[in-house]
Amino acid sequence: MSIALTMLFNGLTYGVLLFVMAVGLSVTMGMMNFANLAHVSLAMLGGYLAITAMDHLGVSFLLSLPLAFLGTMAFSWVLERLVLRHFYGTDDLTQVLLTIGLLFMSVSTVAYIWGPSFKPITMPASLSGQVQVMGLSLERYRLFLLAVGIALALALVFGLERTRFGAMVRACVDNRRAASGCGLNIQRIFALTFAIGGGLAGLGGALAANLLTIDPNFPLRYLIYMLIVVSVGGMGSVAGTLLASVVIGIGDVVGKYYVPQAGGIMIYLVTVVIMLVRPQGLMGRAA
Amino acid sequence: MSSHRAYFANQARWSGWEMAFWLAWVVAFFIPQSNLALLSQILIWGLFAVSLDLLLGYRGLPSFGQAAFFGIGAYTAGYLSKFGWTEPITGLLVSGAVAGVVGLMAGRVVRGLHGVALLMVTLGLNSLLYDFVQRSTELTGGDDGLPGVSIAPVLGIFKFDMVGRTGYLYTLAACFLIFVLLRALVRSPFGLALLGARDNPRRMQMLGAPIDRDLTLVMGLSAAVAGMAGALLTQTTQFVAPEVLSFQRSADVLVILVIGGAGFLYGGFVGALAFIFLRDLFAALNPIYWYFWIGLMLVLTVTFFRRGLLPALAGLWARRRKPAVDRPAQEVAP
Amino acid sequence: MTGLIRRQALAALAASALLSAPAMAQETVKVGLLLTYSGPSGLAGQHADDTIKVFQQRYGSTAGDKKIEFVKRDTTGPNPEVAKRLVQELIVREKVQLMIGPDFTPNVLASAPLITEGKVPTIIAGAATTGIIGEKSPYLMRTFFAIPQLVAPLAQYAYKTGARKLFVLVADYAPGHDAENLITKSFQAQGGTIAGNLRIPMRSPEFSSHMQRIKDAAPDAVFVFLPQGELTVQFLKAYSDSGLKASNLKLLGTGDITDEMLLDVAGDTALGVITAGFYSTYHDSALNKQLVAELAAFKHAPNVPIWDALRLIYDGVAAQKGAPFNGDKFMAFAKGRKFESPRGPIAISASNGDILQNTYIRRVERRDGKLVNVEFETIADPAMR
């Protein structure tokens, strides 16, 4: 029983990590119908920013997280204003090609700046090792991840439901034309949403640096997971992304434990089944 | 009635460009310095992209899983030869048929899916197949490739030689014949029905067109062509490994088609030419960072040639021609 | 007046130089170089290039009376379609007379028939599967390692040091399956039992389920075989994070998990890990120490299989001084050849061209502030005597 609970916990924290990385993509895809595959490059950027801050500026890990968030947010803002916004309204494939091109460029650029090898990250002692919680032996870092993830999820939900900006975001996701008709500045709202989403991806990347590993090929390895989480959850829905991430995270870890012969296919099986049964995603709007 | 027949007869006529295109491939064979192995692979990628064009360009269905059919054809050709059936031409047809049947089944599964959901399901199914093939080392040899693949000489006479001459002509002949059939198909009433379903499915349904049946059919056809492209690869290289089924390949062929231009049938070849030549060029220039240049090429293509290279080139040519006063509208825009 | 005399003198000198030049210009032996330079495995190719640079700095670009010229191509990873085409290009268009590579087993398998038909002696410096040298072509040789050379001695070491219940964890791909079979057979032949085995997916971001499986089986040692890269780094990290490392469970693996390229990235998680490898930068020989020092300028370890391939090529070509280069003569020279490599003594098997070398059991320790593989036991290849 304790093993099952531990596996559940591990899957949950993995899912939470995926959520932090992917939530920005879900909101921007739902709001502006813009498929930004380079989102996963933003996660990588956040990871590198955090590691660089720790290695070269002597910053502590905890402080590197907000730095990664802000740095990636700034970069996302610039990227959107300079490049991406010229492609709103074009068809899906154009956007896919454009952002894949940007993804490739990011892989090489990062290899050029930071070198082609993996980047190690050292955790402070307070976040290493294991701790006994209710009879279970749980990793401290995962507990930290869970705490951060829950805090972020709550903050996002609160932000969307209770703030004025959040209401504007929701309006744009639901019906862009009507929102614009009500006098909302769509361009500005989207730019800000994109920046925040990108910043969250960067934060996710910084958190992922310890659990997964950061190297220039990170986007190539994790693009599929981002796409899966966003489409299974339903585009535009924060709750949907959280649900999908948790389902996929738990499914992956628990699946690999109880049915190791199945290998890594659990994640694809879940995707295919859910997409066939509910093509708009778990919490997406029906077309 | 006769105007319809005249329309289709007109559509069937070969333009000077098309004839020049195919002749160029024949001429390339006789140029002493041509890299026949590279040109064969460009033809195979081109045919593969054409198979996706049927789905994407003509029926409007994007797919991240086309490599699955390519790989099914490739492995079928491999298994046939492994178990003694080494004759290439029949092997090619059987591989296409097997892939086509799987395509028909897939068509029924993805019926009703659009956009993102379709992309994710095709991606998922492709990944499942790849995972299975790669892990089942006893069945498929896994990453090391299927052992025991050897192909008999074409028509019993032309051995697959080291320089790649037989391979090139065989590939060219196969691509041309398949292309001629597809070209006739897309300019037939069936082709028009596909275009109609792509642009306005509801209206087609109201007209009574069997769009679901057509979708299944085009999926099967597209799969068969992709399977034959895969079989050509196995036969000309005498080797098959799981990477023929990889997501990387599915993504690459989508990029190739969109660069070349979807919906023109020739776009696949144009895209393959551009992509593979440039990829080789960038890799030779700077092997470490060539990804950057490929990415930049994609970004620039999308920015300046939004519908692809082929329509851009065609547009350039059209603008240079003297504007005619009276030219009957002959072309139906694909 | 002086100007005219000078010009005449120069003209005379030039004429005499031309007339007295040897009738045959210096022959160039083209060596094809097929490695991965881009993509996830691109580092290996770049390191190989640096090693070649150092070799040529020391020994020049002439062997005997022939000039050695490299023709490089990028296989972009395990990509048999591309590799086969590039081998074709190198043999048919570039007319290489020798070849190093391609790397990765599927690339080698796809290219073998071409190599045989082209009669080009080829040295494999980056593929470790059995069944590719010898059987696939008489023109193939290897300076890399073969998986059994590392796995079998590891089984013996495990048993000798008291392990009786072994947990086997491999990556789910062909070489992994081979290693799994080999270690199981070898360990059981010694008298041990397999406590459990696990094939993990190649794309495996999350390791906690794998670690739990190991804990469940309660083994006294764990054998690991993973391709170098993200998997090895994450495995070591997960092993440490999950508490297995602290439990003093013996971790045994092939040299891939503690390869110098990733040792610094793994950091302390690699300390104390015991591996069977064929080369360590800490190997105690003058030849090795000098090589490591020269490569230190490039900030990475030398690529010893490439170094030895060059050694073999230069010696083989020099042995044909005075006559045009002949591939079959080169094969006759190379097969059975013994020489000193930075890793220790090696030989090319006379029967099938595969590598014969010592296997070293090493432990990761920190020396002079750096993590290195310290060899503490040597198992000689019986075929070398």
Side-chain angles (χ1 to χ4, degrees), chain C residues 7-21:
Chain C
R7 260 181 285 142
Q8 281 175 332
L10 278 172
L13 265 174
S16 62
L18 275 172
L19 287 171
S20 63

Side-chain angles (χ1 to χ4, degrees), chain A residues 14-280:
Chain A
Y14 178 45
V16 160
L17 185 61
L18 289 176
F19 165 71
V20 177
M21 284 200 281
V23 67
L25 181 60
S26 176
V27 175
T28 49
M29 271 180 90
M31 182 194 268
M32 218 50 168
N33 230 337
F34 186 78
N36 175 25
L37 299 191
H39 185 87
V40 64
S41 300
L42 296 172
M44 171 177 69
L45 178 65
Y48 272 102
L49 286 177
I51 293 176
T52 309
M54 285 175 70
D55 286 345
H56 293 276
L57 301 178
V59 163
S60 75
F61 173 68
L62 288 176
L63 193 54
S64 75
L65 293 177
L67 283 177
F69 175 82
L70 291 169
T72 316
M73 182 167 155
F75 181 82
S76 307
W77 176 279
V78 170
L79 181 68
E80 196 265 340
R81 289 283 93 191
L82 280 183
V83 180
L84 298 181
R85 80 182 158 97
H86 299 285
F87 292 89
Y88 297 160
T90 57
D91 62 296
D92 288 334
L93 274 178
T94 306
Q95 294 167 356
V96 164
L97 267 202
L98 170 77
T99 49
I100 282 187
L102 292 173
L103 194 155
F104 285 165
M105 287 168 71
S106 75
V107 168
S108 277
T109 312
V110 162
Y112 183 75
I113 300 178
W114 278 288
S117 192
F118 288 93
K119 276 282 178 207
I121 190 170
T122 30
M123 290 290 111
S126 55
L127 290 177
S128 316
Q130 311 197 302
V131 74
Q132 294 291 328
V133 173
M134 295 193 286
L136 299 172
S137 206
L138 303 175
E139 289 175 37
R140 281 208 185 91
Y141 188 70
R142 287 177 192 263
L143 284 165
F144 171 70
L145 264 181
L146 189 61
V148 170
I150 291 179
L152 266 173
L154 288 174
L156 280 173
V157 168
F158 179 85
L160 280 177
E161 297 289 324
R162 295 298 167 102
T163 66
R164 193 145 170 269
F165 180 69
M168 293 198 267
V169 168
R170 277 185 293 128
C172 290
V173 172
D174 283 343
N175 195 329
R176 194 168 62 229
R177 217 166 286 176
S180 170
C182 287
L184 295 180
N185 187 339
I186 304 292
Q187 295 283 342
R188 192 106 63 78
I189 293 172
F190 187 60
L192 197 50
T193 312
F194 187 87
I196 296 177
L200 283 174
L203 177 63
L207 290 170
N210 187 39
L211 200 61
L212 318 171
T213 38
I214 297 278
D215 76 317
N217 294 301
F218 184 90
L220 298 170
R221 290 184 282 136
Y222 291 100
L223 174 63
I224 291 191
Y225 295 104
M226 297 287 99
L227 290 177
I228 287 180
V229 162
V230 164
S231 49
V232 168
M235 294 184 289
S237 161
V238 168
T241 311
L242 183 59
L243 182 59
S245 313
V246 166
V247 163
I248 293 217
I250 293 181
D252 187 61
V253 171
V254 168
K256 284 207 288 238
Y257 178 69
Y258 285 108
V259 194
Q261 304 90 286
I265 65 168
M266 196 59 67
I267 216 174
Y268 301 119
L269 263 177
V270 166
T271 305
V272 169
V273 166
I274 291 186
M275 286 282 101
L276 283 177
V277 165
R278 215 183 137 79
Q280 70 270 34

Side-chain angles (χ1 to χ4, degrees), chain B residues 30-45:
Chain B
F30 294 104
I31 299 178
Q33 279 308 306
S34 357
N35 188 340
L36 293 179
L38 180 65
L39 292 175
S40 300
Q41 290 195 345
I42 291 178
L43 277 172
I44 291 176
W45 272 105

Side-chain angles (χ1 to χ4, degrees), chain C residues 133-202:
Chain C
I133 312 293
E135 293 117 67
K136 289 295 181 248
S137 169
Y139 285 91
L140 283 174
M141 294 167 281
R142 172 158 42 194
T143 55
F144 200 51
F145 71 95
I147 294 181
Q149 286 176 331
L150 297 185
V151 173
L154 206 51
Q156 289 164 358
Y157 174 80
Y159 194 81
K160 196 173 66 167
T161 52
R164 293 291 178 268
K165 292 187 293 180
L166 186 67
F167 190 95
V168 176
L169 186 147
V170 301
D172 204 350
Y173 71 139
H177 299 175
D178 282 344
E180 183 189 60
N181 286 333
L182 267 167
I183 189 84
T184 305
K185 263 195 227 121
S186 312
F187 194 67
Q188 283 173 339
Q190 306 267 318
T193 56
I194 304 294
N197 74 349
L198 190 58
R199 293 179 173 183
I200 69 172
M202 293 289 280

